[in-house]
Amino acid sequence: MRGATALATLALALTLGCSEERAPAPPEPERPTAGISVRLYFPGPDRLLHAEQHRLDPALQPETRARRLLQLLLAGPTGEDLIAPLDGIERARVHLLEGGVAYVDLIPAEQSGPPQMGSADELLTVYSVVNTLALNVPEVKRVVLLWNGVQHVSFAGHVDTSAPLTPDPRLNAT
Amino acid sequence: MSRRFRIRRARRALAPLLAPFLVLLVAAPAAAQEDDPGAEEGTAPLLSVGTGTLSVDGRSVPFAISRTAIGPLVELAPVVGSLGGQLTPIEGTTAWILEIQGTRAVLGSNSQAVTVGEEIWSLSQTPRAVGVRVLVPVDLLQRLYGNLLGWSFEWRNDSATLVARRGARREIPLTVSAVQLQGLTTLVLEFATPPRYNVDKQAAAVRVDLVGDAVRLTARPELPVGSLVSRLEVRPERILLQLAPNTRVDDYVLSEPFRLVFDVYADAPATEPEERTPVTPRDLPGVHAIVLDPGHGGPETGAVGAGGSQEKELTLLLARELERRLETRLPVDALLTRNRDEGLGLDERSAYANANKADVFVSLHLNSTRGGSAHGAETYFLSLTASDEAAAAAAARENRAGGQASEASADLELILWDLAQSRHLSESQRLAKLIQAELNRSLGLRDRGVKQAPFRVLKGAAMPAVLVELGFINNPADEERLNDPEYRSRLIEALVRAIERFRASQEEPISRGGAEAAP
């Protein structure tokens, strides 16, 4: 049965396209006992990233797992106090290169540059993606963030996004 | 003159020339590994650039090439010039947009992935920026020009020649129409089928070169009375638009049917940009020059409060007042990276501090957060990413191993210039602590310590550098306070006291280096 579920998930991923996930549909509830545990990092009111536990099919390939994690981030947190880090993003593409660099392209619903925001929001937005991918997909060591295909020096004028980013666990709430 | 001082001078003199190259070295550890599989992570090898030949239609075009362990990298611009398309650098990035027949590819000098339309492609190796040139692997050309325009490529290693062969030439019917509105002429070139072309915009003319295709006019074109296109010339392989004086032109593409559209506007007279005044060089120890950086500016508003207050406006108010009070209270020169509402790149801000030999760099910001009711001030100093740390450590190792002064070690000093903040982390941390302590005292805040983040504006600063968030503009109470001159005065007083304490400690004879190691 689990094998069939894995095949169905993989077939669905291939049908949707191998490099992109869309936000609108909320994630299916994960069965608490099935799959491997992953932790999604969502910003909280204390300006730290709070983990929400989900379960994913262990048979997912690294890039597919990364896409699934992005889909869950795009769908937002289930906890009431937590904040959707990718508000305004319609879909995200991810591509995993050999050597552990994941390229994540955030595509906004409206054709525009990255939004203006304070450094606190920018840090939490950037590291919700970086920490979620790098701390849940062993093959992802660093993350490059693109906005609508373009790698910016910084999204909102603070955090340096010109180079691959490693996770920063200091931003995670203990 | 000491070696250290000579290097410092050379570093500053060469910085504008070398900065893009250094950024490449620092920002592309992945690329470094791929170019040299034996290289340690973070130690990007220098790219050796030679000259090769692009052979197309019996013409030989010289272009820059480089060879890596993976294969050749070839200069992109001459290929685009010969085969068609438009290559545009993206301002504020080391990325370029290459548009070919309405297909948009985005490539970056530190990105082995390229986005093409809706896809992300992996390249055999990372494109590299060398000065203003971008060198790309041949497989990118094959996939872009091969798929879109039918070109094929052969790389001849012995003669360093890239041979490009075109598909069959087509003759495409062309219809020209033009419309005149007040101050605007719109000229439309409608092609029966999408052509292979290249647009070259010059001061008074626009040239459309057909690449491997030719056009045939369906009717004689006519320009309207008062047209800002003063002359139109259509040849099988070239269309020339001569523009009236004092005009500017935008071009874009419409599809189904494929149309190339030129909007020619009557231009307003240009204004001279305001020039920054250089300040006297300062090479004495201590704190003599302080660069204050009001965050954001121009189209970049920064965070915006519920009451409509913009971060860029309040930071400028704060910086101007801080400048005035510092110069009144201390024997220092205070300089602003911007003194009006203008856009300024993050690297330009730290470069301005470096060029003016500042002893302290303070970037002023206002924070915002989507959740909670955070308030008060926070002070940051730089946290290097693992990539930065690897590059810095590798350069430092090489530097130590170098022993005697040499050209190579001087080069490494130059590399470290880009990571200059790594040398000042403990001083930056100390300055951040002093500022935060004074702000806590002034605002009655509980001490939350100082913070670290990979903020770009701090990275290139070759002096103690901090970023101060002076309040949360999204918090209505903070926004109201920040609009109160008396409250701003308290903030400024706290900053002046902290800088005064830092300045005094810098003039003490005992070195404090390493007293407070940055985490």
Side-chain angles (χ1 to χ4, degrees):
Chain A
M1 183 61 189
R2 275 179 68 176
T5 306
L7 281 173
T9 306
L10 186 59
L12 178 63
L14 290 170
T15 307
L16 288 172
C18 60
S19 64
E20 174 179 312
E21 287 294 351
R22 290 176 180 273
E28 296 167 16
E30 305 289 344
R31 286 175 299 173
T33 55
I36 57 165
S37 172
V38 293
R39 292 161 73 85
L40 298 169
Y41 291 97
F42 290 105
D46 56 358
R47 288 176 290 132
L48 292 171
L49 294 168
H50 293 258
E52 273 196 357
Q53 196 160 316
H54 287 253
R55 288 188 174 274
L56 290 184
D57 191 317
L60 294 178
Q61 293 298 304
E63 192 172 284
T64 311
R65 186 193 293 189
R67 281 202 309 274
R68 180 73 175 134
L69 289 165
L70 279 173
Q71 185 188 35
L72 291 164
L73 275 183
L74 281 165
T78 53
E80 282 183 6
D81 292 340
L82 301 183
I83 299 159
L86 302 176
D87 201 24
I89 300 296
E90 183 181 61
R91 55 202 169 96
R93 298 182 290 193
V94 61
H95 188 67
L96 181 55
L97 299 188
E98 283 181 24
V101 180
Y103 278 77
V104 175
D105 187 9
L106 303 174
I107 302 171
E110 294 175 9
Q111 291 293 314
S112 59
Q116 304 284 311
M117 60 178 111
S119 64
D121 279 344
E122 189 181 12
L123 275 167
L124 294 174
T125 298
V126 166
Y127 281 97
S128 68
V129 176
V130 174
N131 286 7
T132 296
L133 294 191
L135 299 178
N136 287 296
V137 186
E139 291 79 2
V140 174
K141 308 295 182 201
R142 291 174 295 177
V143 177
V144 174
L145 287 172
L146 312 178
W147 185 275
N148 216 9
V150 178
Q151 188 171 0
H152 290 261
V153 169
S154 177
F155 279 179
H158 312 96
V159 180
D160 185 355
T161 51
S162 69
L165 291 162
T166 46
D168 188 349
R170 290 175 300 184
L171 287 169
N172 295 346
T174 50
Chain B
M1 187 186 292
S2 71
R3 173 177 168 264
R4 186 183 183 82
F5 184 66
R6 282 201 310 274
I7 289 170
R8 199 173 168 202
R9 288 275 298 267
R11 194 163 62 212
R12 285 171 173 154
L14 291 172
L17 300 173
L18 290 168
F21 188 56
L22 296 175
V23 168
L24 174 75
L25 290 173
V26 171
Q33 277 189 300
E34 285 138 18
D35 285 352
D36 179 4
E40 198 170 341
E41 184 172 3
T43 57
L46 300 179
L47 194 67
S48 165
V49 177
T51 303
T53 304
L54 170 66
S55 172
V56 52
D57 292 337
R59 288 184 299 122
S60 293
V61 180
F63 67 166
I65 64 151
S66 183
R67 291 184 174 93
T68 72
I70 294 168
L73 290 162
V74 299
E75 189 183 355
L76 183 55
V79 178
V80 174
S82 298
L83 307 190
Q86 194 155 10
L87 183 65
T88 311
I90 301 172
E91 197 176 341
T93 72
T94 54
W96 294 260
I97 294 173
L98 173 56
E99 282 198 68
I100 303 172
Q101 290 201 340
T103 297
R104 181 173 180 265
V106 182
L107 57 149
S109 68
N110 53 357
S111 168
Q112 201 184 342
V114 54
T115 62
V116 181
E118 285 296 300
E119 299 176 7
I120 300 180
W121 295 350
S122 287
L123 303 179
S124 60
Q125 57 180 317
T126 308
R128 307 287 287 268
V130 180
V132 295
R133 297 167 170 171
V134 55
L135 275 62
V136 300
V138 176
D139 57 290
L140 174 65
L141 303 179
Q142 184 64 58
R143 293 177 73 175
L144 276 176
Y145 284 95
N147 292 355
L148 297 174
L149 301 180
W151 287 88
S152 62
F153 296 88
E154 180 192 351
W155 171 252
R156 294 177 181 166
N157 201 42
D158 50 348
S159 60
T161 299
L162 181 67
V163 181
R165 297 187 181 87
R166 68 173 70 240
R169 171 179 156 133
R170 303 170 300 169
E171 189 179 77
I172 302 172
L174 170 69
T175 305
V176 180
S177 57
V179 178
Q180 180 66 27
L181 298 170
Q182 191 168 7
L184 167 68
T185 300
T186 297
L187 187 133
V188 181
L189 306 176
E190 181 179 323
F191 298 81
T193 187
R196 304 159 186 168
Y197 70 99
N198 187 36
V199 174
D200 182 17
K201 288 197 281 192
Q202 296 161 359
V206 177
R207 204 176 69 192
V208 181
D209 287 315
L210 280 296
V211 183
D213 286 330
V215 293
R216 175 172 49 80
L217 277 171
T218 56
R220 180 188 171 83
E222 288 189 11
L223 295 173
V225 176
S227 169
L228 297 173
V229 179
S230 55
R231 190 166 70 89
L232 175 68
E233 183 182 312
V234 179
R235 296 180 185 173
E237 294 181 342
R238 176 171 297 175
I239 301 159
L240 187 71
L241 284 67
Q242 196 72 45
L243 307 181
N246 300 321
T247 54
R248 63 186 167 85
V249 61
D250 289 340
D251 66 289
Y252 52 95
V253 167
L254 298 173
S255 56
E256 296 179 3
F258 185 91
R259 283 156 290 169
L260 200 48
V261 185
F262 297 92
D263 287 338
V264 185
Y265 299 89
D267 210 354
T271 54
E272 286 293 318
E274 198 173 290
E275 203 167 296
R276 289 184 187 285
T277 309
V279 299
T280 311
R282 303 166 181 83
D283 283 313
L284 299 171
V287 175
H288 307 282
I290 298 163
V291 165
L292 306 171
D293 172 41
H296 309 283
E300 195 184 304
T301 60
V304 179
S309 307
Q310 296 187 344
E311 182 183 358
K312 67 173 183 178
E313 292 171 350
L314 288 169
T315 55
L316 184 55
L317 278 178
L318 286 157
R320 281 175 175 159
E321 180 57 23
L322 179 57
E323 175 198 27
R324 193 189 64 76
R325 214 175 296 183
L326 279 171
E327 291 197 332
T328 305
R329 295 262 296 273
L330 302 174
V332 296
D333 284 344
L335 304 162
L336 302 186
T337 56
R338 67 176 178 95
N339 201 359
R340 57 178 178 167
D341 183 17
E342 63 174 328
L344 200 60
L346 295 172
D347 292 344
E348 286 178 84
R349 296 168 192 260
S350 53
Y352 180 70
N354 293 345
N356 284 294
K357 302 186 179 180
D359 303 301
V360 168
F361 178 76
V362 181
S363 189
L364 300 175
H365 285 253
L366 300 173
N367 218 334
S368 79
T369 180
R370 279 175 290 175
S373 54
H375 68 282
E378 291 176 336
T379 311
Y380 287 85
F381 67 107
L382 182 70
S383 72
L384 294 174
T385 66
S387 305
D388 299 323
E389 286 167 357
R397 275 199 304 276
E398 292 285 340
N399 216 10
R400 282 197 299 273
Q404 296 297 315
S406 65
E407 289 301 314
S409 61
D411 287 345
L412 284 162
E413 287 277 348
L414 286 165
I415 291 168
L416 281 170
W417 178 85
D418 199 60
L419 293 166
Q421 185 54 205
S422 66
R423 296 172 163 191
H424 298 281
L425 279 182
S426 70
E427 289 297 281
S428 296
Q429 184 188 31
R430 210 164 55 79
L431 175 60
K433 283 182 172 178
L434 288 170
I435 288 175
Q436 190 61 45
E438 291 293 345
L439 288 169
N440 290 344
R441 188 178 310 159
S442 177
L443 306 180
L445 296 175
R446 178 174 59 87
D447 185 20
R448 289 177 288 195
V450 296
K451 299 191 169 191
Q452 279 186 280
F455 288 151
R456 177 77 183 197
V457 76
L458 302 179
K459 210 171 252 188
M463 72 283 304
V466 296
L467 185 149
V468 192
E469 297 280 4
L470 286 163
F472 282 80
I473 199 170
N474 69 299
N475 179 319
D478 261 12
E479 184 184 8
E480 190 179 336
R481 281 191 283 263
L482 288 162
N483 278 294
D484 176 1
E486 197 178 324
Y487 182 79
R488 288 202 303 269
S489 179
R490 280 167 58 197
L491 293 174
I492 288 161
E493 187 58 30
L495 292 171
V496 171
R497 279 199 306 270
I499 291 170
E500 194 170 14
R501 288 175 63 192
F502 183 76
R503 181 177 177 279
S505 67
Q506 289 293 95
E507 291 178 353
E508 289 167 7
I510 301 167
S511 167
R512 294 160 313 282
E516 287 178 307

